[in-house]
Amino acid sequence: MTIPVHFDAKTIEDKWYSYWMENNYFHSTPDHRTPYTIVIPPPNVTGVLHMGHMLNNTIQDVLIRRARLKGFNACWVPGTDHASIATEAKVVAKLKQEGIDKADLTREEFLKHAWDWTDKYGGVILDQLKKLGASCDWERTKFTMDPDMSASVIKSFVDLYNKGLIYRGYRMVNWDPEAKTTLSDEEVNYEEQQGKLYFIKYQIEGSAEYLTVATTRPETIFGDTAICINPTDERFSHLKGKKAIVPIVNRSVPIIEDEYVDVEFGTGCLKVTPAHDVNDKVLGDKHQLEIIDIFNDDATLNSNGLHYQGKDRFVVREEISNELETSGQLLKVETHVNKVGTSERTKAVIEPRLSDQWFLKMEDLVKPAIKAVLEDSEIKLHPKRFDNTYRHWLENIRDWNISRQLWWGQQIPAYYFGDGENDFVVAENIDDALELAKTRTGNQSLTTADLTQDADALDTWFSSWLWPMAVFGGVLNPQNDDFKYYYPTNDLVTGPDILFFWVARMIIAGYEYTGEKPFTNVYLTGLVRDKQRRKMSKSLGNSPDPLDLIDQFGADGVRVGLLLSASAGNDIMFDEELCNQGKSFSNKIWNAFRLIKGWEVSDIEQPESARLAIEWYDAKLQITLTEIEDHFEKYRISDALMAIYKLVWDDFCSWFLEMIKPGYQQPIDAKTFAAAIEMLESNLKLLHPFMPFLTEEIWQLIAERTSQQALIISTWPEQKPFDQTILSRFEQSMEVISGIRAIRKDKNIPFKDAIELKALRGAADTYFDPIVIKMGNISQIDAVQETVNGALSFRVGSDEYFIPVQGLVDIDEEIAKLTQELNYTKGFLKSVQGKLGNEKFVSGAPANVLENERKKEADALAKIATIEQSLAGLNQA
């Protein structure tokens, strides 16, 4: 079999992914094995792969491939989320380009456009994940709007409503004027923005006196229905019971008193606009004030805005301030920094708005989720520091606004049969609703034509909180075989930004519907940032196309590059050089494989050096395997990869292969060759979860394999007892070899020239001397009892080694070089000791700086001793 000189990632990636798919290795069905299950965090159905997806799904694939190798029945369920706000916005924008207004369409007509869009663009991201090597069970692919998934959502809504946990209320909500829907409190981000504080004069009715109100939102004066003062504020006590006239509107409003008013803020007078501020609504209810809504759903002013009707709120803010200034009713304007709520999805500034919405009571539902994570540790967050974030969210939880003014999504299963506030029933379908409505009204002549379904859709998170259960049919049929076998799942890999939105809610739903946790471990990845620590975004142009990276560096190279710097919960400073490092690692492994396969094998006696090398590497493999297992148990995936990286690059390639490599044009013995292949195969098994394509290619090139012998379904290396002293004993021999190599390199002594080595050592451990002889090209190692003249020396611990150099180097020239180096080092030592002798420096320097200086001193002293010893030996030559 001809092995290509260069590793061609592009060719082999398609080849092996197709092979894995053809042989159905990714598919799982319940059997006698222990299941290992992961459900993918479903990306937006119309989304495309970005660096965050790359990181998240690489980690999931590492976990699932490792589980497969460890003999678990591994099942990774893929799927996509319908993402109601984002998808509907895209469809509306597309229709607008075609000259179609959503308002001119029926719900059914709009949904046809939405499904066409989804069918055209949906699933692209899943195909892109295949390029990464994701070994999902594609036969189990789910979409949150699949009929069975939607049925699960509707069933859940009806169940929670019947339990008294879902209710309809007229509340102040967060209104997104761009998406034209409400948002839950958790979907609103509060950002500090520099704005203005407008000081507006309100005339006291029936007098020439004015009071001044400070507001950040002058456009809302059209909704003012009172002025509020603090009853303890003596400045305004004479205004009690009087009225003020709202500027421009010329409406007379009462001056009310309430201790809510902060006498220190602004002027001490507060304009009350109950329709457009949460706190003002509380005041309005308390004082029975009129509620005047001044906004349309797109945040333009309605007819209550008088001559500003139809204009955007921010345009009106500027224009009304000019009008107030012209009329002499704007006293002044100051710069003011305040927190502004923005939509997590559209980034639009949120408008508080009164509206009928559906809410889910959370107070009792949340209790098992708090207990599972924070008290019983039944579910573990990795890293654990996110427990505090989780605690904050859940201990301060409010009722969840689950309705959205959208069409794309599961339509709320509430059916209205009259105009009264409670003239509705909740049912899974219209036929069931009709029977309930007949019972409620006593009117048996009602038909489905008399029922009108609520127009709102459910929050997308209300569907995805059921994801781990619904993908296995656990909501509709909790007794089915798949659900009983695969649930609870094992690990969840996701970002900390949706710890509350999704993770906590899945935990809540899991305990509510099954009494069980939905998963055991939650691995929280960091954000992928650029090397300047900026969040990646299209607008900054700092987010590379993942498919371009795969094309340039290979999927394995990109996977390794990402994971080498991806410790749990910490942000990744992404640099393409990391992918290049991954590509270099691929080439290193490929070249090591080519080296082994290029050796001629002969039935000759095994050298002692090769036997020792195999013994050492076997122990090294075992101790690294123990380290890797510990890292995986603690979800330190990056550290696990680094341990394997060092094992393969340093221990296998740089040491083991060099130790067993036959001489030039010499064959290798069959026993050593077989061991080398065995060690290589063990390495490939460890590497496979991280670098699936390269490892499968090499595995299949090592020997002819059947489909039952593919690496993807092979077995993880077995942990066996080993002699740990072998490793510590070899460490000393490695230092000896490094010392020999350093002298050879420094003195330009060719490796082909054998040299002598004299060893002055105490309780001599000569076990690995055959390797020292091979690796250093030593003609012989002689034990000596005293220093050797005419030799260069080096120390390893308390032992000293000498290399006679007569005939190998120009001794006079060597003495001159060493003398120059000695003088330089003494000068360096003097400057360091000068610092350490300076009391002011020592007392003021940080501990780490002092430690560094003392290390410099110790290193310089050791180097001086070595140089002086070498000079002494050379001078006696």
Side-chain angles (χ1 to χ4, degrees):
M1 187 182 295
T2 304
I3 301 169
V5 174
H6 300 292
F7 172 62
D8 182 4
K10 291 179 190 175
T11 305
I12 68 111
E13 284 167 7
D14 288 340
K15 176 176 77 175
W16 290 117
Y17 203 88
S18 297
Y19 178 80
W20 295 328
M21 290 285 284
E22 286 162 11
N23 285 283
N24 223 19
Y25 296 131
F26 304 161
H27 184 54
S28 170
T29 53
D31 62 21
H32 64 281
R33 292 173 295 169
T34 302
Y36 175 84
T37 316
I38 294 179
V39 291
I40 200 171
N44 288 2
V45 67
T46 58
V48 292
L49 200 64
H50 59 57
M51 296 306 293
H53 294 134
M54 290 278 280
L55 171 64
N56 184 290
N57 287 283
T58 295
I59 292 169
Q60 289 177 82
D61 197 43
V62 167
L63 294 173
I64 210 79
R65 285 180 182 273
R66 176 173 174 268
R68 207 177 276 126
L69 288 170
K70 288 178 80 71
F72 291 96
N73 188 351
C75 179
W76 181 13
V77 181
T80 50
D81 188 275
H82 65 276
S84 45
I85 294 177
T87 305
E88 183 150 328
K90 287 182 179 179
V91 176
V92 169
K94 171 187 170 287
L95 292 172
K96 193 173 182 180
Q97 288 176 350
E98 297 170 1
I100 302 170
D101 191 327
K102 178 190 170 186
D104 296 332
L105 299 175
T106 64
R107 187 187 198 105
E108 290 67 30
E109 288 169 340
F110 176 81
L111 288 177
K112 185 180 185 309
H113 285 285
W115 277 110
D116 288 346
W117 173 272
T118 301
D119 292 341
K120 183 175 181 180
Y121 297 103
V124 169
I125 192 166
L126 298 183
D127 287 335
Q128 291 175 325
L129 285 176
K130 293 174 184 177
K131 296 288 185 187
L132 183 65
S135 56
C136 301
D137 186 346
W138 299 110
E139 292 179 38
R140 293 184 178 273
T141 301
K142 284 293 186 182
F143 175 43
T144 52
M145 289 275 282
D146 283 344
D148 61 320
M149 299 295 281
S150 287
S152 298
V153 175
I154 299 305
K155 184 181 177 69
S156 171
F157 184 98
V158 174
D159 173 69
L160 293 168
Y161 177 79
N162 289 337
K163 289 173 178 174
L165 294 172
I166 286 179
Y167 64 94
R168 195 162 183 260
Y170 186 64
R171 297 279 190 85
M172 182 71 72
V173 295
N174 305 300
W175 184 260
D176 181 336
E178 188 170 320
K180 297 181 183 177
T181 182
T182 58
L183 302 177
S184 65
D185 293 332
E186 295 75 31
E187 291 170 298
V188 179
N189 297 324
Y190 287 91
E191 306 165 354
E192 281 201 345
Q193 293 184 5
Q194 185 167 303
K196 295 175 181 178
L197 195 59
Y198 300 82
F199 291 77
I200 303 171
K201 295 162 64 179
Y202 287 64
Q203 187 175 355
I204 306 303
E205 188 178 53
S207 80
E209 186 183 354
Y210 286 85
L211 59 78
T212 304
V213 171
T215 179
T216 57
R217 305 193 62 197
E219 70 277 11
T220 61
I221 63 172
F222 298 105
D224 290 355
T225 55
I227 299 293
C228 192
I229 56 176
N230 193 305
T232 65
D233 194 338
E234 295 179 359
R235 294 174 297 174
F236 306 113
S237 58
H238 65 290
L239 297 178
K240 183 178 180 181
K242 295 188 177 183
K243 293 188 174 183
I245 299 170
V246 180
I248 301 176
V249 186
N250 294 321
R251 180 169 57 244
S252 178
V253 298
I255 297 173
I256 61 174
E257 292 181 297
D258 199 288
E259 290 184 352
Y260 166 75
V261 178
D262 183 356
V263 296
E264 300 294 330
F265 179 76
T267 64
C269 295
L270 178 75
K271 63 190 279 303
V272 185
T273 317
H276 299 293
D277 183 273
V278 176
N279 297 313
D280 288 10
K281 176 65 167 60
V282 174
L283 280 174
D285 290 345
K286 184 177 178 181
H287 295 276
Q288 297 182 315
L289 299 176
E290 183 184 3
I291 296 173
I292 302 173
D293 187 347
I294 68 167
F295 288 120
N296 297 313
D297 60 7
D298 60 355
T300 58
L301 272 69
N302 60 26
S303 59
N304 288 321
L306 305 179
H307 48 288
Y308 292 105
Q309 182 177 357
K311 291 189 176 182
D312 182 77
R313 54 188 164 160
F314 298 120
V315 172
V316 175
R317 184 175 299 176
E318 290 301 314
E319 292 184 0
I320 202 169
S321 66
N322 293 333
E323 183 176 352
L324 290 167
E325 187 173 20
T326 301
S327 65
Q329 292 169 295
L330 184 63
L331 184 66
K332 63 177 179 177
V333 179
E334 292 180 353
T335 299
H336 178 69
V337 175
N338 66 331
K339 284 194 171 180
V340 176
T342 60
S343 167
E344 194 238 354
R345 287 285 185 193
T346 66
K347 311 306 178 190
V349 173
I350 292 303
E351 195 60 58
R353 191 182 192 197
L354 286 166
S355 177
D356 276 316
Q357 301 292 335
W358 293 89
F359 295 88
L360 175 61
K361 295 177 183 177
M362 300 302 290
E363 185 180 357
D364 292 328
L365 279 176
V366 78
K367 289 175 183 175
I370 292 174
K371 189 171 184 287
V373 175
L374 302 174
E375 296 172 20
D376 298 344
S377 295
E378 193 174 22
I379 298 171
K380 296 180 177 66
L381 306 183
H382 304 274
K384 188 171 175 56
R385 69 171 186 269
F386 283 107
D387 281 7
N388 292 330
T389 307
Y390 185 88
R391 181 189 301 277
H392 172 76
W393 278 111
L394 269 63
E395 290 184 351
N396 295 279
I397 202 165
R398 289 191 277 185
D399 288 356
W400 178 8
N401 174 4
I402 57 174
S403 50
R404 297 292 179 270
Q405 287 61 58
L406 300 165
W407 284 347
W408 178 243
Q410 286 88 14
Q411 191 172 355
I412 288 176
Y415 299 84
Y416 299 89
F417 53 79
D419 298 327
E421 188 177 337
N422 295 308
D423 288 352
F424 66 85
V425 292
V426 170
E428 291 184 37
N429 55 65
I430 196 165
D431 294 327
D432 289 351
L434 180 60
E435 293 308 311
L436 288 172
K438 285 178 179 179
T439 303
R440 279 275 302 276
T441 62
N443 181 0
Q444 294 302 308
S445 64
L446 281 178
T447 67
T448 54
D450 299 314
L451 302 181
T452 304
Q453 189 173 354
D454 194 301
D456 288 353
L458 283 158
D459 180 8
T460 301
W461 297 110
F462 191 81
S463 62
S464 55
W465 80 324
L466 302 174
W467 185 250
M469 295 181 287
V471 295
F472 295 114
V475 178
L476 298 178
N477 178 17
Q479 295 306 310
N480 80 76
D481 291 342
D482 274 9
F483 186 63
K484 289 195 293 183
Y485 181 76
Y486 292 112
Y487 188 91
T489 67
N490 296 79
D491 296 329
L492 179 76
V493 182
T494 190
D497 52 328
I498 54 173
L499 178 58
F500 177 78
F501 288 128
W502 191 46
V503 180
R505 286 169 174 165
M506 283 190 289
I507 295 171
I508 292 167
Y511 282 104
E512 172 63 18
Y513 284 108
T514 70
E516 288 188 276
K517 59 188 177 183
F519 30 72
T520 301
N521 295 287
V522 181
Y523 179 102
L524 297 159
T525 67
L527 286 173
V528 184
R529 298 182 180 273
D530 67 14
K531 52 189 176 184
Q532 297 176 45
R533 296 186 172 272
R534 299 176 303 176
K535 188 175 179 179
M536 289 190 167
S537 69
K538 288 181 181 177
S539 58
L540 287 173
N542 64 345
S543 183
D545 183 332
L547 296 183
D548 288 346
L549 291 176
I550 290 173
D551 190 56
Q552 186 178 354
F553 301 107
D556 292 329
V558 175
R559 289 166 66 116
V560 168
L562 273 170
L563 289 178
L564 282 176
S565 58
S567 54
N570 294 326
D571 289 353
I572 298 167
M573 303 309 123
F574 180 75
D575 186 343
E576 285 193 14
E577 185 52 39
L578 295 169
C579 297
N580 199 34
Q581 184 180 348
K583 183 179 181 179
S584 297
F585 188 40
S586 297
N587 290 334
K588 183 79 171 178
I589 299 163
W590 182 255
N591 289 334
F593 164 62
R594 287 186 64 248
L595 175 69
I596 295 169
K597 291 295 279 186
W599 291 334
E600 180 190 343
V601 184
S602 178
D603 191 15
I604 56 177
E605 187 178 348
Q606 182 184 51
E608 179 65 6
S609 59
R611 185 193 69 77
L612 292 169
I614 293 164
E615 184 181 13
W616 166 75
Y617 191 76
D618 195 44
K620 193 70 181 177
L621 178 69
Q622 285 301 319
I623 198 167
T624 305
L625 193 55
T626 302
E627 182 186 347
I628 292 165
E629 294 296 336
D630 182 61
H631 288 320
F632 270 109
E633 281 178 21
K634 294 170 181 172
Y635 290 81
R636 297 197 299 245
I637 313 298
S638 176
D639 292 341
L641 173 58
M642 183 53 76
I644 299 168
Y645 185 97
K646 288 178 178 176
L647 175 74
V648 173
W649 190 295
D650 297 338
D651 301 318
F652 186 74
C653 296
S654 299
W655 284 99
F656 178 69
L657 293 184
E658 289 299 314
M659 287 191 274
I660 65 168
K661 185 169 69 175
Y664 180 64
Q665 292 189 337
Q666 298 296 310
I668 189 171
D669 68 280
K671 193 173 183 180
T672 300
F673 181 79
I677 292 294
E678 184 182 340
M679 299 304 180
L680 174 61
E681 288 183 338
S682 293
N683 292 343
L684 293 176
K685 291 174 181 181
L686 294 178
L687 283 164
H688 180 75
F690 301 93
M691 309 175 78
F693 296 109
L694 169 76
T695 52
E696 188 72 75
E697 172 75 355
I698 294 175
W699 180 267
Q700 299 284 353
L701 285 172
I702 287 173
E704 195 170 320
R705 319 262 188 182
T706 67
S707 60
Q708 298 305 308
Q709 296 171 320
L711 176 57
I712 188 174
I713 54 167
S714 183
T715 54
W716 188 253
E718 182 186 353
Q719 285 185 274
K720 297 178 290 188
F722 66 98
D723 182 359
Q724 197 156 341
T725 62
I726 288 290
L727 300 173
S728 55
R729 291 166 73 187
F730 186 67
E731 286 292 325
Q732 187 169 8
S733 296
M734 289 173 84
E735 288 188 55
V736 174
I737 294 164
S738 296
I740 296 166
R741 285 174 168 176
I743 287 177
R744 277 189 177 277
K745 183 181 177 184
D746 193 40
K747 310 310 173 194
N748 292 317
I749 302 171
F751 185 79
K752 63 182 177 61
D753 297 340
I755 56 176
E756 294 178 60
L757 183 68
K758 311 290 185 182
L760 177 56
R761 45 193 179 187
D765 183 354
T766 60
Y767 189 69
F768 285 107
D769 276 3
I771 290 179
V772 174
I773 289 170
K774 175 178 171 58
M775 297 289 281
N777 192 10
I778 303 298
S779 57
Q780 61 188 61
I781 301 177
D782 295 324
V784 296
Q785 303 303 314
E786 56 185 21
T787 59
V788 178
N789 296 329
L792 293 172
S793 64
F794 60 91
R795 281 185 173 277
V796 174
S798 59
D799 298 337
E800 193 170 359
Y801 295 87
F802 304 90
I803 297 176
V805 292
Q806 278 189 319
L808 294 174
V809 298
D810 184 325
I811 291 179
D812 291 337
E813 185 180 316
E814 191 59 35
I815 289 172
K817 279 171 63 179
L818 286 173
T819 303
Q820 184 180 3
E821 189 175 358
L822 178 66
N823 292 335
Y824 171 81
T825 308
K826 283 181 174 179
F828 175 76
L829 176 65
K830 187 177 179 181
S831 69
V832 172
Q833 289 178 332
K835 282 185 186 178
L836 293 173
N838 184 328
E839 192 176 329
K840 189 176 180 182
F841 171 79
V842 173
S843 61
N848 64 317
V849 173
L850 277 176
E851 186 183 346
N852 192 37
E853 291 299 320
R854 288 182 180 128
K855 185 177 183 305
K856 287 179 185 177
E857 181 186 36
D859 290 347
L861 286 168
K863 189 171 183 180
I864 287 168
T866 302
I867 295 171
E868 286 178 337
Q869 197 160 14
S870 291
L871 280 171
L874 289 172
N875 282 322
Q876 292 176 27

